[in-house]
Amino acid sequence: MIELRHFQYFVMLAETLHFGRAAQQLHISQPPLSRQIALMEAELGVQLFERTRRSVRLTRAGARFYQDAVEILNSVDRARRNVVAASRGEDGAIAVGFMMSSAYNILPALTRTYAAAYSRVDMKLAETLPNLLAEAVRAGRTDVGIMYRPEDLTGLNTATVFREEMVAVLPRTHPLGKARVLDAAQLAEESFVSIPREIAPLVYDLVVDHCRRAGFSPHIRLETNLQQTIINLVGEGLGVAMVPMSMSSTSASGNAVFKPLRNAPVAEVVLLWSRDNHNPCVETFVENARTVWRDMQRAPGARLVPDPPDTRMR
C-alpha cells in the first residue's frame, strides 16, 4: 500500500533525478530508497523512472504522477497547517453579537483589529438587544456577546473591554444647556427617558442609583430599547436622560446637548461567552479585545475610565 512517505520519496527523486542525492536529502540510505521506489512502481503497475548506470529520468507516466504527487503533498501540508491554525483559533468561524451602543465605543476597533490579525476566521456580526444577547450566548447561538454586564452570569465568562462615564442629555433649548457640569440634583424635577431595566439592568440601575444618591428618584416618563432613540426623544423635548459618553457621537444628537455629570457613574461594557463554548476562536477574540482595551486606555487624550488597579487585565 502506498503511504505518504512514498510520495515524499518519489517527489524528491523526481526533482533530483539522482538516487544518492535524493537519499541524502531524505536522510535515508540509497538501497532503501531504491527498494521503496520499486515497490511503488509495482503497486501502481507502471514504470515511473527510466534508469541507467549514468542517469535517472522520469517516464511519461512518472511526469504525470509527479504533478499529482506534489499536489497531494501540498494538500497534506495545507491540512496540517489548517488544523493547527484551527486549534489556535487562527482559522474557523466566530459569531459575534453586539448591542447597538457598542458601535459607538469598542466595536469598531475590536472587529477591525481582529479581522486584520485573523483574516482566515469568518466573523459574523449581529446586532441584538442586551437581554436577548446574553441568552443567545448561553444557548450557543452566539459565540461572543459585546454588551453591558448582565445580572445573571450563570454559565458565562466575562471580560471588561470598555469603561466610560455617563453624561446627562438635555434638549438643546433646555435652561441648563449652558452649564459646564451638572449635579444630578439639578434634574430632580425633570422627566426622564430611559432604557427599560429588563433590557439593560446595569445602565438602568446606574441612572436610578445616581439620582437616588443625589436625593431623588427619577420620574421615568418614557422607556425605549435603544440609546439612540433615547437621544432622539430628548432632542424632541420629551425629557432628559443619562447615557454613556460615547453616545454623544451619534447622529441622533442634533437637537440634544451632552453635559458631564459630577461624580458620574461609570458604564462598563463586557465580552460575554459561555463556559461550555470550546470554539478556539473565542480565546483569540477575547485576547484581541484585551489588547484593544489596553491600547485605548493608553492613547493620548483618551477620555476613558481605566480599570481599577486590582482588576486591570494583564
Side-chain angles (χ1 to χ4, degrees), residues 190-201:
E190 302 287 344
S191 295
F192 277 70
V193 184
S194 173
I195 194 167
R197 191 178 190 282
E198 61 268 21
I199 297 296

Side-chain angles (χ1 to χ4, degrees), residues 14-28:
E15 291 178 348
T16 61
L17 295 176
H18 192 284
F19 276 93
R21 287 197 294 272
Q24 186 178 20
Q25 292 290 330
L26 293 164
H27 305 290
I28 61 175

